[in-house]
Amino acid sequence: MIKVKINGQEQSWDGDPDLPLLWFLRDEAGLTGTKYGCGQALCGACTVIVDKQAVRACITSVNDVAGREVTTIEGLHPNGDHPVQKAWRQLNVPQCGFCQAGQIMQAAALLMDNPKPSHDQIREGMAGNICRCGCYQRIENAVHLASTGV
Amino acid sequence: MNFIDNPRKLRGFEKHIKVEKVSRRSILKGLGVTGGLVLAAPVMSRQALAYETGAGKMPHGVVVDPRVFVSVGADGIVTIVGHRSEMGTGVRTSLPLIVAEEMEADWSRVKVQQAHGDEVKFGNQDTDGSRSTRHYLIPMRQIGASARTMLEQAAAKRWGVPATEVKAVNHEVVHSASGRKLGFGELAADAAKESVPSIEGLKLKDPKNFRYLGKGQIGIVDLHDITTGKAHYGADVRLPGMKYAVIARPPVTGGKLVKFEPEEALKVPGVEKVMQVRGWPWPSKFQPLGGVAVIARNTGAAIKGRDALKLTWDDGPNGKYDSVAYRKELEEASRKPGLVLRKEGDADAALKSADKVIVGEYYLPHLAHVAMEPPVAVADVKGDKAEIWAPVQSPGGTREDVAKTLGIPEANVTVNVTLLGGGFGRKSKCDFAIEAALLSKELGAPVKVQWTREDDIHNGFLHTVSVERIEAGLDKSGKVIAWRHRSVAPSIASTFAAGTLHQAPFEIGMGLVDMPFEIANISCENPEAAAFTRIGWFRSVSNIPRAFAVQSMVGEIAQATGRDQKEMLLELIGSPRIVKPNVKDLWNYGEPQDSYPIDTARLRKVVELVAEKGEWGRKVPKGHGLGIAVHRSFVSYIATIVEVAVDDKGKLTVPRVDTAIDCGTYVNPERIASQIEGAAIMGLSLAKYGEITFKDGKVQQRNFDDFQVVRMDESPVVTNVFIVPPVSDTPPSGVGEPGVPPFAPALINAIFAATGKRIRSLPIGKQLEA
């Protein structure tokens, strides 16, 4: 039995310990905010925060996070008012929106690590997250806005 | 030549013929529509409005009925139905916003409800072809005006005053003479009893009183849900007892399963069953390819189970498809005469007598859509009833195809449209929904079919591959006197009809025969090309290769004659005029020529605007260059300037992009800007990396590592968007797709300016490193 804390709640799993965290979150725990985009840690759509670090849930097994704390988009802020989320709304960032949970989690982790990132640091720090609609310009501006206070 | 110009027509050719022969009204009658104001198309009569569109010719046409689209609760909440699919363009916000504007509803008290697939009720729902605003601006205004009128009539009756004395203003109806007011909620029950006014008598708002339209201050309705993970896409649907499935499909289009050994897959924890899925012979239209499904308690287990399957395939007739060899075939075909589609003057003779002939042979490979959300669908089939939840661009077509496949009446199929995690044309094809329906029927349980990214790339409906060869003949003064353009590419029609060798009217109408330059001798030709994989619509479709070739050639002519690119471009466009190509039944994005002519004044205007705002001719640092391109597509006019920087190792960056768009009357400039910003990135992706190749009939790419798209660190630093203000009542035109075509040629022209290297083959890949 693997125990893992997700958004502050203890969850347990007695199935395949190698099951990617992504599918545990989505299909077993019903937390569908975290998205599948590639399964190979290439696109960042499944980004969650594990103990203050952004990780790709698609190549992280449930076993890898045993006893650790996982934060998903649903748990980033109780009212959805994390500065990154607010900045996102202020700048109308999303188009289709599918990659945005991963983008927001990546941005939140980036700002935890570096509260005042430069233009280049934002572009590099967010380069693991693909947006096929092409919202990058607004994502960059939103991360900057979140870092300067919304 | 196949007569097809949109996915719906391809779904049922016979049906389309039927639609063409009888009036819309009789069809609606035949389908048993009663009550409500269901109008026969075309609804936009000349006397009422200044323009007509092709909306009425779409399957099931247009329905203008406030009782279908609007409901007002006693609490005052106005619910407006969004009947088009939201894939990122903002349409789920924009169309209801039009209704709210016209009915004087306060947007903060409006809820948007997504329509299920029902085209008899809602009218055509195919969200493709950059058509939604263009076809629905006026119908949505009419729906809003009808609802407003009914509320006003109800209030007038309540007060016993003439309806002409009352007026709806911001969610209430007021009688200014007496100062009385009633909220929409208080009037809801009475208004519902009012008769629906006739369209001809409706009074539409004066645009100068618009509160929302054209302003761009309203965020998309799903903004909060998207940022908090609550927005629901296809894969987010969860039903009690639902099974999770992934399918191993034939690696070669048209291939068949010989045998499968499920033993190892069944040993994977969580895997419950392995079963065969029915496939359709090639060309399979929108039907599934077939294969073997692994059913599990979660998607992760299903994927692991599939990896353990042992499968033997017969690759079938397309097992030899090889992109290297195929390119040579296309190139050779482009060097010989082909089917002449447009002929003005005598291009052959003019080329022979020309002082100088410039030849450009351009190659553009297959592309995959790779929407961030791969295809996915949930189905629950019980007896002769089916319910689908899926991110589809074609809810009506999905309903029709699922019903036909299962052999049940369409009325028994409910298609719930989720948000789409990107579409780009891929989700106009409902094969994934049919797969889920087939599996659910067999299992007797709800099933979710999830495509992996590898499935999406291996088994998609790819953008075509093409060689575009242009020969331009110049006289002694450098004036272009001859233009011969041969386009060779497998057609989308090949996915529907075996033996298709020529492109369809809707493909040749995308930048080949509608080429707007003022040249005396023109020949547009289409040599034959067979297809060996599924070809489908990809955002902006054939406009990608056409704009690339035509606008690169403008750069080449400028280069050869030592002239400024922009001046060359304006010279070729020529005088302000309406272009009437000598083409039989010219396809004009389904729109009448009267409302949507090829207008070179508008084409010139976007070139001039982008040149001014984008500071054409500005001094750029060493290693930088500017390029320009313009293209009319989806009846909109777009010009783009790209500034590129290429370092001494050949690394390419894009410091700045400027785009000017003339899309006529518009609804939400903020979303237009977002579409154009995104189009620049999609354009850069396809120019820099986009290439799907085949060997032994199989796609050689797998995922985002070998089919790359642009990431943030290499995306344009800034994209500026300039929207041409509409002149009076200029009809609205496309926005979702037209931003893509001019980007790549503007980039290539900029690269030439920066480096002196002319790139004629996409993707750029390592060409700048050599």
Side-chain angles (χ1 to χ4, degrees):
Chain A
M1 180 79 77
I2 299 167
K3 287 195 185 312
V4 50
K5 209 175 219 183
I6 300 172
N7 299 334
Q9 286 195 326
E10 189 105 327
Q11 304 251 13
S12 55
W13 172 241
D14 59 2
D16 183 357
D18 293 335
L19 178 69
L21 174 63
L22 169 66
W23 302 115
F24 176 73
L25 291 171
R26 291 185 51 82
D27 298 349
E28 300 288 346
L31 292 165
T32 56
T34 306
K35 304 301 186 200
Y36 166 77
C38 72
Q40 305 287 335
L42 298 165
C43 79
C46 66
T47 304
V48 296
I49 296 175
V50 178
D51 297 342
K52 299 193 173 173
Q53 236 194 333
V55 307
R56 307 297 190 230
C58 69
I59 56 155
T60 305
S61 70
V62 183
N63 198 41
D64 290 338
V65 293
R68 302 176 74 174
E69 205 152 319
V70 177
T71 306
T72 71
I73 185 73
E74 290 92 341
L76 185 60
H77 185 280
N79 308 319
D81 285 336
H82 184 281
V84 171
Q85 291 170 308
K86 283 162 74 176
W88 239 252
R89 293 194 289 267
Q90 203 165 313
L91 299 183
N92 289 315
V93 170
Q95 288 183 36
C96 86
F98 190 82
C99 72
Q100 301 290 326
Q103 302 273 5
I104 287 169
M105 297 309 284
Q106 183 70 39
L110 174 71
L111 294 179
M112 269 192 261
D113 188 48
N114 178 3
K116 298 275 174 212
S118 68
H119 165 86
D120 285 344
Q121 285 170 333
I122 295 173
R123 284 167 72 95
E124 276 162 33
M126 298 299 296
N129 291 67
I130 293 174
C131 175
R132 182 62 162 156
C133 295
C135 301
Y136 296 133
Q137 182 169 319
R138 295 187 193 212
I139 291 171
E140 185 190 329
N141 291 339
V143 177
H144 181 73
L145 177 63
S147 76
T148 52
V150 196
Chain B
M1 187 78 67
N2 292 288
F3 174 64
I4 40 179
D5 59 13
N6 73 56
R8 276 305 299 280
K9 287 179 185 171
L10 294 172
R11 284 197 318 254
F13 192 55
E14 52 301 281
K15 188 187 152 189
H16 170 64
I17 298 295
K18 196 173 135 205
V19 169
E20 288 295 300
K21 279 184 184 158
V22 295
S23 80
R24 309 273 344 154
R25 193 176 290 278
S26 65
I27 288 175
L28 293 171
K29 220 181 252 168
L31 291 167
V33 178
T34 52
L37 181 67
V38 181
L39 290 169
V43 296
M44 289 156 249
S45 64
R46 271 262 164 220
Q47 66 204 58
L49 295 145
Y51 66 90
E52 286 179 41
T53 73
K57 287 191 178 152
M58 297 295 291
H60 295 106
V62 177
V63 171
V64 177
D65 186 348
R67 289 181 287 196
V68 168
F69 286 91
V70 183
S71 60
V72 184
D75 58 358
I77 295 294
V78 170
T79 304
I80 303 174
V81 170
H83 74 304
R84 312 288 279 186
S85 299
E86 180 58 83
M87 53 186 148
T89 62
V91 72
R92 208 171 104 85
T93 303
S94 303
L95 294 193
L97 191 68
I98 301 168
V99 177
E101 173 71 78
E102 194 65 57
M103 78 179 279
E104 276 294 321
D106 168 10
W107 187 249
S108 69
R109 284 179 273 177
V110 170
K111 284 206 164 78
V112 175
Q113 187 191 326
Q114 186 67 37
H116 55 274
D118 187 344
E119 296 193 335
V120 173
K121 185 172 181 184
F122 302 108
N124 183 264
Q125 293 180 272
D126 290 335
T127 314
D128 54 32
S130 301
R131 270 187 274 257
S132 293
T133 302
R134 163 169 128 224
H135 282 181
Y136 285 94
L137 176 61
I138 296 300
M140 289 294 145
R141 288 186 65 189
Q142 290 168 331
I143 287 166
S146 294
R148 164 168 45 78
T149 307
M150 290 160 80
L151 287 158
E152 287 170 346
Q153 282 166 354
K157 271 190 198 157
R158 184 96 57 96
W159 293 323
V161 301
T164 49
E165 286 182 15
V166 307
K167 198 173 181 254
V169 183
N170 196 34
H171 232 80
E172 53 190 19
V173 179
V174 297
H175 182 241
S176 44
S178 63
R180 282 176 290 188
K181 289 176 180 177
L182 281 167
F184 280 6
E186 296 168 282
L187 292 164
D190 284 355
K193 292 178 206 145
E194 288 292 321
S195 60
V196 176
S198 79
I199 283 183
E200 284 69 26
L202 285 174
K203 199 159 180 272
L204 299 184
K205 275 174 82 167
D206 185 332
K208 74 172 191 288
N209 297 325
F210 282 163
R211 300 158 300 149
Y212 306 126
L213 297 199
K215 308 282 192 250
Q217 83 280 34
I218 301 294
I220 54 172
V221 290
D222 299 300
L223 189 54
H224 198 276
D225 283 351
I226 286 171
T227 59
T228 52
K230 292 191 190 100
H232 270 84
Y233 299 84
D236 301 335
V237 175
R238 292 163 56 81
L239 301 177
M242 186 176 81
K243 307 292 182 191
Y244 295 80
V246 295
I247 299 173
R249 298 176 189 80
V252 176
T253 309
K256 278 193 203 116
L257 184 70
V258 175
K259 68 168 183 175
F260 68 104
E261 297 161 66
E263 295 75 17
E264 294 303 312
L266 288 165
K267 287 181 196 158
V268 172
V271 170
E272 295 172 1
K273 201 169 176 164
V274 175
M275 56 203 279
Q276 211 175 325
V277 189
R278 187 181 160 196
W280 272 254
W282 194 74
S284 48
K285 306 186 173 93
F286 295 162
Q287 295 299 114
L289 297 170
V292 179
V294 177
I295 315 296
R297 66 166 284 164
N298 60 56
T299 316
I303 293 171
K304 202 170 174 181
R306 186 177 69 173
D307 289 344
L309 281 175
K310 287 201 179 73
L311 303 162
T312 312
W313 305 96
D314 169 1
D315 287 342
N318 298 324
K320 290 199 172 77
Y321 189 30
D322 181 299
S323 292
V324 176
Y326 191 72
R327 176 177 180 162
K328 286 204 183 86
E329 280 179 39
L330 293 180
E331 286 169 346
E332 279 164 24
S334 80
R335 291 165 198 160
K336 292 173 202 149
L339 181 66
V340 178
L341 302 165
R342 175 181 177 186
K343 188 175 189 313
E344 284 156 33
D346 187 342
D348 290 346
L351 281 168
K352 265 182 209 142
S353 68
D355 183 60
K356 188 185 234 175
V357 175
I358 300 165
V359 182
E361 201 174 278
Y362 307 96
Y363 176 75
L364 295 97
H366 285 302
L367 300 171
H369 304 79
V370 292
M372 289 312 295
E373 172 198 46
V376 61
V378 173
D380 188 9
V381 180
K382 286 195 184 88
D384 66 349
K385 290 202 164 51
E387 187 157 9
I388 308 286
W389 291 259
V392 285
Q393 290 177 244
S394 57
T398 303
R399 190 186 195 204
E400 201 174 294
D401 285 358
V402 167
K404 208 180 287 173
T405 305
L406 297 181
I408 60 177
E410 251 187 75
N412 291 8
V413 179
T414 306
V415 175
N416 303 286
V417 183
T418 65
L419 289 175
L420 283 65
F424 314 121
R426 171 62 183 90
K427 292 168 186 168
S428 287
K429 302 95 170 173
C430 60
D431 53 328
F432 48 100
I434 301 173
E435 287 175 340
L438 288 168
L439 286 178
S440 175
K441 187 185 174 180
E442 206 162 323
L443 283 167
V447 182
K448 178 188 294 174
V449 172
Q450 174 70 58
W451 285 48
T452 63
R453 179 60 60 198
E454 290 80 3
D455 299 342
D456 180 42
I457 290 176
H458 288 164
N459 296 116
F461 292 78
L462 299 175
H463 173 67
T464 192
V465 47
S466 63
V467 167
E468 307 281 327
R469 181 185 168 91
I470 299 177
E471 291 153 87
L474 280 60
D475 69 12
K476 279 205 176 68
S477 70
K479 183 178 161 60
V480 178
I481 52 161
W483 180 272
R484 182 160 65 202
H485 183 169
R486 293 197 188 115
S487 172
V488 202
S491 170
I492 290 169
S494 65
T495 302
F496 303 86
T500 302
L501 293 173
H502 286 291
Q503 297 180 58
F506 71 90
E507 290 167 315
I508 63 173
M510 289 185 177
L512 177 63
V513 297
D514 52 332
M515 193 281 296
F517 296 159
E518 201 166 28
I519 299 171
N521 303 289
I522 295 174
S523 179
C524 299
E525 303 171 24
N526 176 219
E528 293 182 350
F532 301 97
T533 188
R534 296 199 292 189
I535 313 289
W537 291 262
F538 176 103
R539 186 182 189 182
S540 83
V541 203
S542 303
N543 288 296
I544 294 171
R546 301 297 163 48
F548 185 78
V550 172
Q551 297 296 310
S552 290
M553 179 48 79
V554 176
E556 302 219 27
I557 299 168
Q559 164 192 339
T561 55
R563 275 182 288 179
D564 176 78
Q565 283 176 53
K566 181 204 127 197
E567 294 310 319
M568 189 71 238
L569 185 53
L570 288 173
E571 182 184 312
L572 282 164
I573 294 169
S575 57
R577 69 198 187 284
I578 302 301
V579 179
K580 292 184 174 156
N582 179 30
V583 177
K584 197 169 169 280
D585 302 325
L586 177 69
W587 183 82
N588 190 37
Y589 298 88
E591 305 302 339
Q593 297 284 348
D594 285 358
S595 312
Y596 294 95
I598 303 170
D599 184 345
T600 57
R602 293 177 73 183
L603 204 59
R604 294 182 68 93
K605 170 83 187 168
V606 287
V607 172
E608 279 155 0
L609 180 67
V610 81
E612 180 208 327
K613 301 283 187 185
E615 301 168 277
W616 177 255
R618 69 180 181 266
K619 226 179 157 50
V620 291
K622 194 173 174 292
H624 290 228
L626 297 178
I628 190 168
V630 68
H631 191 67
R632 172 188 183 267
S633 67
F634 305 90
V635 289
S636 282
Y637 302 80
I638 305 215
T640 293
I641 292 173
V642 174
E643 179 183 346
V644 78
V646 183
D647 72 13
D648 47 17
K649 292 196 181 85
K651 187 174 179 254
L652 177 159
T653 50
V654 180
R656 176 173 164 183
V657 178
D658 294 273
T659 294
I661 173 169
D662 177 354
C663 56
T665 301
Y666 52 79
V667 172
N668 193 346
E670 191 275 327
R671 286 295 93 180
I672 295 171
S674 71
Q675 284 301 294
I676 301 303
E677 290 159 17
I681 290 160
M682 189 168 274
L684 185 58
S685 288
L686 73 88
K688 218 172 158 178
Y689 302 119
E691 182 170 34
I692 293 289
T693 55
F694 285 80
K695 191 163 174 49
D696 300 325
K698 299 179 186 78
V699 171
Q700 291 180 287
Q701 292 71 28
R702 291 173 51 85
N703 208 315
F704 287 121
D705 51 348
D706 51 10
F707 185 76
Q708 293 188 64
V709 295
V710 161
R711 294 168 180 276
M712 192 192 282
D713 59 344
E714 55 190 332
S715 71
V717 176
V718 61
T719 297
N720 302 308
V721 182
F722 308 99
I723 307 173
V724 175
V727 179
S728 65
D729 56 355
T730 319
S733 49
V735 172
E737 296 170 86
V740 176
F743 185 88
L747 176 79
I748 283 339
N749 287 334
I751 289 171
F752 177 80
T755 66
K757 282 185 191 163
R758 173 62 59 182
I759 288 174
R760 297 192 183 90
S761 174
L762 291 187
I764 297 165
K766 296 184 192 306
Q767 292 179 72
L768 292 172
E769 291 170 26

